[in-house]
Amino acid sequence: MKKRIMIFTPAAFPAVKYGGPILSVFRNAVNFSQLGNTVEIITTTLGQNFKETQVSRVDSNFSITYLKVRSNFKCSIPYLLAIPKKIQDCDEVILEDFYWVATPIVLIWVSISKKRCFIVPRGSIMQPCIDMASTAKKKIFVKLIGIIFKILRLDPIFIFSSDFERESSPFFMNYRSLIIPNRGEPKASDQTVGSPGKSGTVMLFVGRIASEKNLISTLLVYKKVREYFPNLRLKVVGPDYGELKNLRKFCVLNEITDVDFVGQQSGEELEASYRDADIFILTSNFESYGNVILEALCHGCPVVTNQNNPWKDLNEFGAGAQVPHDVEMMAAAAIEILTNGKTHYATPIANLLGKCGDDNINGLWNEAFHEKKH
């Protein structure tokens, strides 16, 4: 049976241009519509190059409604007023994100309309995410939503991207949950060896230049690996969140050279960085999913990372290495990957990406939509 699916999310930007987890929302909607369902994303003008409410029709079954919102606010009066009718007119409700003003309103109208609701928190209710918050707001918000669940006798289905995310989210363990990974497909253009002008061997990091990304460890791993690969250079892609000055100073003091901080990239420029990399590295203190790992794999790049994220499949499929958060161990794993060469990992990466491909993800969502209501 074809369904009318309503997806509520704070911001669709940068759904198409930059990638990341929000791209999975957009790709979910595209695939839902291609399967014959009617899909609408309800979002805001936040981050768009227009400020007024408008509707963008992607295809005959899929539209995005951008509701006017003031800068830096995730919600607005027009958004809240639109919620009741949108929920009444659909069969399935998907609530993307968790910590925003619309969440309790959506849940109340889901209860009134007796509709089923899928909540995709994207790591936001994981204990480490809450612990990293600088205030008690998140804990208070979680308790408030818990009270709303009990009062309204809600029976939502939580969609987690991995067992790691679900097991680290203790607040709603009594509710039903399903594991549906983010989507990722190999890029056809990545059969090429590299872009014109590429020289040497490249280790790549993509993400915010922020303390929680622990780029000091990245630099230390890079320094050790460079002893074995003298032509290796480190490329750091991402916006500065107050750490860049300290990292540059750290490089000087520790004689770490050939590190390129290139700033934020997007579109074809970012794809070229992924494509040209020989190895991708992520040493974050914590990642609820680590979508940049998925993006690197989609571009055929093997990955070395620590165990502070859910990517144990790297070891199981042989698509890279997930090791304890230890500079020596990460360096040894990176040396092995670079010694084997990028082409050695092509088949394991393709096999791993099968779990994140459209056929598998569509099947998992189809099963979710046919879950019986309690």
Side-chain angles (χ1 to χ4, degrees), residues 20-301:
I22 197 69
L23 177 59
S24 190
V25 179
F26 182 83
R27 289 190 58 196
N28 275 340
V30 169
N31 277 270
F32 294 159
S33 69
Q34 289 175 347
L35 294 172
N37 301 297
T38 301
V39 186
E40 184 176 0
I41 292 179
I42 312 299
T43 187
T44 71
T45 55
L46 184 65
Q48 301 297 325
N49 57 8
F50 53 84
K51 301 301 180 184
E52 298 301 319
T53 294
Q54 69 178 56
V55 177
S56 172
R57 185 157 291 282
V58 180
D59 61 38
S60 58
N61 291 332
F62 172 29
S63 63
I64 304 176
T65 299
Y66 297 92
L67 294 167
K68 184 177 180 180
V69 63
R70 286 188 296 169
S71 178
N72 298 326
F73 280 83
K74 284 186 175 183
C75 205
S76 64
I77 297 300
Y79 197 114
L80 297 178
L81 293 177
I83 290 173
K85 187 175 189 312
K86 296 294 184 183
I87 291 178
Q88 289 173 352
D89 291 343
C90 74
D91 300 308
E92 307 283 0
V93 175
I94 299 177
L95 179 61
E96 295 279 349
D97 209 337
F98 196 74
Y99 292 108
W100 59 307
V101 176
T103 297
I105 308 300
V106 169
L107 294 176
I108 289 170
W109 281 100
V110 162
S111 176
I112 292 173
S113 303
K114 294 182 169 56
K115 299 294 172 69
R116 181 165 47 191
C117 182
F118 298 92
I119 298 177
V120 188
R122 300 203 174 276
S124 59
I125 59 173
M126 294 176 72
Q127 186 67 59
C129 289
I130 293 173
D131 289 343
M132 285 190 293
S134 58
T135 68
K137 289 181 181 179
K138 282 193 172 184
K139 292 180 180 179
I140 294 172
F141 191 88
V142 167
K143 290 181 180 180
L144 172 63
I145 297 302
I147 292 170
I148 291 175
F149 279 8
K150 290 179 181 179
I151 293 175
L152 300 180
R153 297 183 178 179
L154 287 171
D155 181 35
I157 298 177
F158 284 88
I159 305 295
F160 294 106
S161 61
S162 66
D163 286 320
F164 177 84
E165 185 180 329
R166 177 164 60 184
E167 291 166 4
S168 301
S169 303
F171 297 98
F172 300 105
M173 289 298 289
N174 294 330
Y175 294 91
R176 288 186 292 168
S177 62
L178 299 171
I179 304 296
I180 302 181
N182 285 6
R183 292 179 186 264
E185 293 285 354
K187 303 290 184 179
S189 61
D190 292 328
Q191 303 306 314
T192 57
V193 175
S195 297
K198 178 193 171 183
S199 61
T201 307
V202 179
M203 177 181 283
L204 176 68
F205 165 86
V206 177
R208 299 186 305 277
I209 301 177
S211 59
E212 64 269 18
K213 298 300 180 182
N214 194 11
L215 280 161
I216 294 293
S217 289
T218 300
L219 291 168
L220 291 174
V221 171
Y222 163 70
K223 183 180 181 181
K224 286 188 173 294
V225 175
R226 204 160 187 264
E227 295 174 7
Y228 295 83
F229 293 89
N231 67 338
L232 182 67
R233 58 190 182 86
L234 175 63
K235 187 174 186 178
V236 178
V237 177
D240 179 25
Y241 276 63
E243 286 294 301
L244 182 55
K245 184 177 179 181
N246 292 335
L247 291 174
R248 289 189 187 278
K249 185 182 296 185
F250 184 84
C251 288
V252 173
L253 292 175
N254 291 275
E255 299 180 337
I256 302 174
T257 58
D258 289 330
V259 180
D260 301 321
F261 295 97
V262 300
Q264 186 165 342
Q265 293 182 342
S266 62
E268 293 180 2
E269 187 180 29
L270 178 57
E271 289 196 358
S273 290
Y274 278 124
R275 183 174 60 247
D276 290 347
D278 297 279
I279 185 171
F280 184 86
I281 184 168
L282 190 66
T283 60
S284 301
N285 294 328
F286 173 77
E287 293 283 350
S288 61
Y289 186 76
N291 212 76
V292 287
I293 292 178
L294 177 58
E295 292 171 1
L297 294 171
C298 285
H299 290 81
C301 185

